[in-house]
Amino acid sequence: MAQQLITLQLSSAYVASTGPVRENVEFGMRVRNAAWIAGNGRQEQPHQSENSESLFTGSFSSSTITGRKSARYRRRPLRHICASLGFTADPRVGIERAANGLLKDAAMLLVYQDVFRSPPAQAFLKVLLALRRGDDGLKILESYGEFFKLMAVGRYPSWEDYVLEGILAGENNPFVEAAANVGNPRSAWSGGVPPSLQAAAAADLDSLQRLSITESTLSGWVAEMVADVKPEWRTAAASNFSSKTVYKAPAYVEEGNNAFGFSIPDESKVDNGLSASEVDQISPGKESESGSEDPEGIENAPGRYLKTIHTVLDEDRERWRKKIGGLWRWSEAVPLLEKYYADHSVGRIAATQFLQWKSGKLMMDTRWVVKTSSACDLSLHKAKKELLVKNVTKHAQRRTAHHILLYGPTGVGKTWLLRSVLSEVTNVKDLRIVTLPVAELKSISTVLEELARHWRLRFALVIDDLFSRGAEENYSHLRSSLDGNLQEWPENVLLCCTSPRKVASPGKDGAAGSGDLSHLFGFTVEFADLDENDFVRCVKELLENRIGNTSFDTNMSREEVVEQAKVWAERISAKNVRSVAQFVNALDE
């Protein structure tokens, strides 16, 4: 009976301290009636005016609780009383209710629904659903394992960072679209963000804040719902990619090792999680070297190493995540997010410097940095490079620039030079590079519409080997877009193309070719095969670049190297930049 008294006192005192006065009175009467029935088994209720003060304090006298004992009635067990009042000592019930509350928060989202439409978020919801239903322990463990694996494959620092990243991305969100297009004369949202969308965003942000529970909390719920979970699992499941160290779970030592009977964890011996090789294996952007073919084949030419702006964008987004996550209530971030969307745009474009159009949507171009790892600093391309840098920089500075067409035989360094120029400009200017494969050229109108939506950003649209195949079809698609017959060309998009020729169809028997696009580009540069002097100079420069940027060196004289390069070029019947790069890279130390 003492245990009943303590339980009832705590239950009544808790509700009395949090609810309105009327609810406190009603709850106090429920507690008192339950105690009366438990003590006496009678159906009569005590008079409501008795000891009204106790209704607010939750205190009861022992006589009130105990009452008169009767042999005709049996006392109800304590668990039945708690269950009738809505309280239980079983932690599983509390976890089921907490999971149900989070599922309601996810269902109540008004504009940020896309945060929970990716595989990791769907796996998170499956864990909550399994907890709410009280599924079999194996199913709960499997659902959490799937969630943990997807978070690791995506290299997300933590679940909270994942949610915040989804907020910054703002995919398919009318509030985000409105904030990003304030002041855009071509947008319906140019007048500002409607108050209704601001209120919806504020409500969603608070819901997302409640949903961003820690991995340790979620794994702790799983461990409570599943019997006999090993401590090693608890330790590993509660970690994430932001964990600097993951301590091994304490284990009992062999008898006689110490006087206490348990092990003292050594902080100097920690498990740092995945090894470097394992991280590389699960990297989402990891592709095989043979997965993509470069038409120029000079991406590994010796040269100055090119840095990219990826780290700058990542650091900027990390600062924004900390700024929003550090607020007491995330709904306070509505004005901050409006400014962020206006300055950085939305979606994948806001977080990625290099993109490609694939299967009808923009995706991260994971091969751009690999293909452009070295700068093109050849003296024979110096004048062309200076003109290209000047033109691209004008576009990045929101000044008038001309579309670019580089044409000439394959292997002369057109693609290498163009990629090098664009990558170097992006290091100092906010410029996005979008690669459009020739096979996707029929979608150029859709691509331009998508890029025009991000009107505050500047883009360079790259098409490589324009007339290498499907010349007539490609020419018609491109000409219609450049002429402005189907749509106006967006002023924030600069077209940069390479081609084996400047006409779509070469002429026969000396006749002029058809489909000349040079007048539509405005900036055309012609390339030719190397003559004897340029070939020798190219061999020496690429050799010096390899020696200066790597640990490579050779015992041969420069003249001997040049003679071997000539033999190499004659054997493969190609005297161009590509053949020189292949020869220099093949030299043994």
Side-chain angles (χ1 to χ4, degrees):
M1 189 56 66
Q3 185 180 4
Q4 292 179 352
L5 175 60
I6 294 173
T7 302
L8 295 173
Q9 285 179 334
L10 291 175
S11 303
S12 179
Y14 171 76
V15 176
S17 63
T18 57
V21 174
R22 182 175 181 179
E23 293 180 359
N24 294 345
V25 173
E26 293 176 354
F27 181 79
M29 294 304 300
R30 288 175 61 197
V31 173
R32 194 169 182 180
N33 293 344
W36 185 278
I37 295 171
N40 299 323
R42 298 182 179 179
Q43 301 300 321
E44 300 92 337
Q45 297 182 0
H47 196 274
Q48 293 187 6
S49 62
E50 292 183 10
N51 197 13
S52 60
E53 184 179 356
S54 65
L55 301 180
F56 296 91
T57 62
S59 60
F60 299 91
S61 64
S62 58
S63 60
T64 304
I65 295 280
T66 306
R68 291 176 296 176
K69 297 182 180 179
S70 175
R72 293 179 300 170
Y73 300 99
R74 291 179 2 180
R75 292 191 181 93
R76 299 177 63 188
L78 177 61
R79 63 178 182 273
H80 292 170
I81 300 175
C82 293
S84 66
L85 298 176
F87 293 93
T88 177
D90 189 357
R92 295 170 57 93
V93 176
I95 293 172
E96 292 171 1
R97 290 175 178 172
N100 185 62
L102 293 179
L103 288 171
K104 285 184 178 179
D105 281 324
M108 288 191 300
L109 295 177
L110 299 172
V111 291
Y112 278 99
Q113 293 95 334
D114 272 47
V115 175
F116 279 89
R117 285 180 180 164
S118 60
Q122 289 291 305
F124 174 82
L125 294 179
K126 288 181 180 178
V127 176
L128 294 181
L129 188 61
L131 293 173
R132 188 195 71 175
R133 295 182 307 203
D135 284 351
D136 178 71
L138 293 179
K139 291 184 178 180
I140 296 177
L141 289 174
E142 288 176 358
S143 62
Y144 188 86
E146 182 68 15
F147 165 71
F148 186 90
K149 183 187 72 173
L150 291 174
M151 290 292 292
V153 169
R155 303 289 298 276
Y156 302 110
S158 66
W159 171 244
E160 180 179 316
D161 281 300
Y162 177 86
V163 174
L164 290 169
E165 187 65 27
I167 293 173
L168 294 179
E171 298 279 1
N172 302 320
N173 189 326
F175 166 73
V176 175
E177 290 290 333
N181 285 281
V182 173
N184 183 2
R186 300 183 180 181
S187 173
W189 306 107
S190 59
V193 182
S196 60
L197 291 181
Q198 292 175 333
D204 282 5
L205 290 172
D206 283 338
S207 296
L208 292 171
Q209 184 178 14
R210 291 189 292 269
L211 283 161
S212 60
I213 61 176
T214 63
E215 286 82 355
S216 59
T217 299
L218 186 60
S219 62
W221 290 352
V222 172
E224 287 288 346
M225 298 290 286
V226 181
D228 301 328
V229 173
K230 296 183 180 297
E232 294 85 356
W233 185 93
R234 289 175 177 263
T235 303
S239 64
N240 52 49
F241 264 44
S242 64
S243 304
K244 301 300 181 182
T245 56
V246 180
Y247 292 91
K248 292 183 178 179
Y252 289 102
V253 299
E254 295 181 2
E255 186 176 358
N257 281 4
N258 60 41
F260 300 99
F262 58 88
S263 63
I264 302 176
D266 185 359
E267 296 187 359
S268 64
K269 298 179 180 180
V270 297
D271 182 4
N272 290 322
L274 297 174
S275 64
S277 60
E278 292 171 327
V279 169
D280 289 339
Q281 291 174 1
I282 65 173
S283 176
K286 194 74 174 177
E287 296 182 7
S288 63
E289 294 298 328
S290 59
S292 177
E293 181 181 358
D294 182 75
E296 285 291 328
I298 319 177
E299 67 271 18
N300 293 321
R304 174 172 49 88
Y305 176 71
L306 276 176
K307 296 181 179 179
T308 64
I309 203 171
H310 273 302
T311 55
V312 178
L313 293 177
D314 292 341
E315 292 172 359
D316 182 59
R317 293 174 75 81
E318 183 179 359
R319 286 192 296 269
W320 277 93
R321 290 197 300 266
K322 290 182 178 179
K323 183 183 296 186
I324 298 173
L327 296 174
W328 181 256
R329 293 185 61 183
W330 287 7
S331 56
E332 300 172 2
V334 170
L336 296 176
L337 287 172
E338 289 185 19
K339 184 179 185 307
Y340 174 84
Y341 298 136
D343 295 339
H344 297 76
S345 194
V346 300
R348 196 180 300 275
I349 289 178
T352 308
Q353 194 77 20
F354 307 107
L355 304 112
Q356 64 175 335
W357 184 264
K358 187 175 181 181
S359 302
K361 60 181 179 180
L362 285 173
M363 305 177 65
M364 180 185 298
D365 190 352
T366 58
R367 297 288 297 170
W368 179 276
V369 178
V370 176
K371 293 178 180 179
T372 323
S373 59
S374 60
C376 180
D377 293 328
L378 295 177
S379 59
L380 61 95
H381 291 335
K382 182 177 180 181
K384 300 181 181 70
K385 182 176 181 179
E386 290 177 352
L387 293 175
L388 286 171
V389 169
K390 184 177 180 180
N391 188 67
V392 175
T393 303
K394 282 184 178 180
H395 175 69
Q397 294 174 342
R398 301 178 182 276
R399 297 158 56 194
T400 302
H402 299 289
H403 298 312
I404 299 170
L405 174 63
L406 309 182
Y407 65 94
T410 60
V412 295
K414 304 184 301 295
T415 301
W416 184 26
L417 177 60
L418 179 61
R419 288 176 177 272
S420 176
V421 168
L422 293 176
S423 295
E424 291 186 40
V425 173
T426 57
N427 285 334
V428 294
K429 301 296 179 183
D430 191 8
L431 180 68
R432 301 294 196 275
I433 312 299
V434 180
T435 302
L436 179 63
V438 175
E440 298 277 356
L441 194 56
K442 58 182 178 295
S443 304
I444 188 170
S445 297
T446 307
V447 176
L448 295 177
E449 290 177 2
E450 177 66 21
L451 299 183
R453 290 178 53 242
H454 308 274
W455 64 293
R456 293 182 184 271
L457 300 179
R458 311 298 280 185
F459 299 94
L461 182 61
V462 179
I463 305 176
D464 205 9
D465 275 359
L466 181 59
F467 296 136
S468 59
R469 57 184 181 273
E472 292 295 343
E473 183 182 1
N474 295 342
Y475 171 77
S476 61
H477 288 305
L478 191 59
R479 184 181 181 87
S480 298
S481 300
L482 288 173
D483 280 343
N485 295 331
L486 299 178
Q487 63 185 133
E488 183 180 356
W489 189 277
E491 63 179 13
N492 65 329
V493 180
L494 178 70
L495 182 61
C496 304
C497 297
T498 65
S499 173
R501 53 187 180 271
K502 69 174 182 178
V503 294
S505 299
K508 297 180 180 180
D509 299 328
S514 62
D516 190 352
L517 287 174
S518 58
H519 66 286
L520 295 175
F521 278 88
F523 189 99
T524 59
V525 179
E526 184 178 5
F527 288 72
D529 285 326
L530 304 180
D531 58 24
E532 188 70 20
N533 293 331
D534 288 339
F535 181 82
V536 172
R537 185 171 47 170
C538 185
V539 172
K540 292 181 178 180
E541 289 181 6
L542 291 182
L543 179 62
E544 294 300 329
N545 285 341
R546 184 179 178 189
I547 294 175
N549 293 282
T550 66
S551 59
F552 169 79
D553 200 357
T554 179
N555 295 326
M556 292 187 298
S557 64
R558 300 301 181 261
E559 290 71 19
E560 292 175 334
V561 173
V562 170
E563 291 302 321
Q564 289 193 14
K566 291 179 180 179
V567 174
W568 172 286
E570 291 177 0
R571 190 176 66 186
I572 64 176
S573 301
K575 186 178 287 187
N576 50 37
V577 177
R578 177 189 295 168
S579 64
V580 174
Q582 292 172 347
F583 168 77
V584 173
N585 285 330
L587 284 175
D588 295 328
E589 298 189 17

